Each structure stands twice: as C-alpha cells, then as structure tokens.
C-alpha cells in the first residue's frame, strides 16, 4: 500500500544555500537506504524549500514514512524544527501515486521565485 504525507518544518535561521542542498541530499540518501533495507516499493517525493520553511511530500509505505518522520525529528533537528504533519493519506490509488501526476504538475506550475524545488527520489 502506498501512503502520502505532507510535513512542514521550520528551517534554522541563517541557513546558506549549501546547507539547504545538504538537507535535500541527506533526505535523498536516507530514502534510498530505506528502500534497499526494506526491499519495498521505492519511495518518491519532493521537497519545497522556502526562506524559513520546508515542505516534504513523501509517497511510500507506512514503514518508510515512519522512518522519515523519525529522521526529521532526530537526525535533522539541527537544520529543521517545529515539524508538523499537514496531511496523511492512506492507501493512495495507484493511478494517483506518481509524482508525475496532477499534484506534481500543480506544484510545479505554481512555484514562484521565493521557492526552491528539490526532487528527492523518483521511482
């Protein structure tokens, strides 16, 4: 079963561009590691970075989503804080689960110069 979660986090003040890239790389490596260890459907997602906030959207199994949440709370606490789950959707229909779908196109179509889109991992 594929689930989708949106998590909002506050970025530590004074983060430089290289720190934001490191955050994206860290999540990307973490998701790839989770997939190889759990031998499940590969996770996919995007990470939107604003000046002071980050928005994570992850589609994966419940186990990987729980691991991502723990990673954000524990190992990324020096970069992000005040993380909140904005939405959690269980059992996303397969036709709606790809990040190439309407949700992804909507997000890409509404980005402005204050946002930075980082593709995490795509199945």
């Amino acid at each position: 079963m594929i689930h989708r979660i949106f998590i909002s986090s506050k970025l530590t003040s004074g983060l430089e561009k290289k720190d934001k890239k490191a955050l994206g790389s860290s999540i990307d490596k973490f998701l790839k590691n989770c997939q190889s260890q759990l031998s499940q459907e590969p996770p996919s997602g995007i990470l939107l970075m604003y000046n002071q906030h980050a928005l994570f959207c992850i589609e994966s199994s419940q186990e990987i989503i729980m691991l991502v949440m723990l990673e954000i709370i524990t190992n990324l606490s020096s970069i992000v804080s005040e993380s909140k789950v904005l939405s959690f959707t269980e059992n996303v229909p397969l036709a709606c689960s790809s990040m190439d779908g309407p949700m992804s196109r909507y997000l890409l179509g509404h980005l402005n110069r204050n946002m930075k889109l980082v593709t995490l991992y795509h199945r």
Side-chain angles (χ1 to χ4, degrees):
M1 252 191 284
I2 299 293
H3 306 293
R4 180 183 300 139
I5 190 166
F6 286 90
I7 302 170
S8 171
S9 298
K10 186 174 182 180
L11 295 172
T12 303
S13 61
L15 277 183
E16 296 180 16
K17 188 175 184 176
K18 64 178 179 151
D19 299 322
K20 291 180 180 181
K21 283 186 178 183
L23 174 61
S25 295
S26 173
I27 292 290
D28 184 44
K29 287 177 190 173
F30 179 78
L31 289 174
K32 287 177 183 176
N33 188 33
C34 285
Q35 179 203 352
S36 65
Q37 288 182 3
L38 297 174
S39 301
Q40 296 180 357
E41 179 81 18
S44 64
I46 59 173
L47 172 59
L48 295 172
M49 288 206 215
Y50 299 81
N51 291 333
Q52 298 176 1
H53 293 85
L55 178 64
F56 301 85
C57 176
I58 308 287
E59 289 183 343
S60 189
S61 66
Q62 186 173 357
E63 293 84 5
I64 290 178
I65 287 176
M66 292 300 293
L67 290 172
V68 168
M69 291 172 55
L70 287 172
E71 178 73 4
I72 291 170
I73 292 168
T74 56
N75 297 330
L76 299 176
S77 61
S78 64
I79 301 172
V80 297
S81 61
E82 300 179 33
S83 297
K84 296 179 174 86
V85 174
L86 302 177
S87 172
F88 180 74
T89 306
E90 292 182 275
N91 197 15
V92 176
L94 194 55
C96 300
S97 67
S98 172
M99 294 307 289
D100 287 332
M103 180 183 77
S104 166
R105 285 193 296 275
Y106 173 81
L107 289 172
L108 289 171
H110 290 82
L111 290 176
N112 62 41
R113 64 177 175 257
N114 296 324
M115 295 187 216
K116 177 166 177 80
L117 176 66
V118 179
T119 302
L120 294 176
Y121 188 71
H122 184 70
R123 50 182 139 172

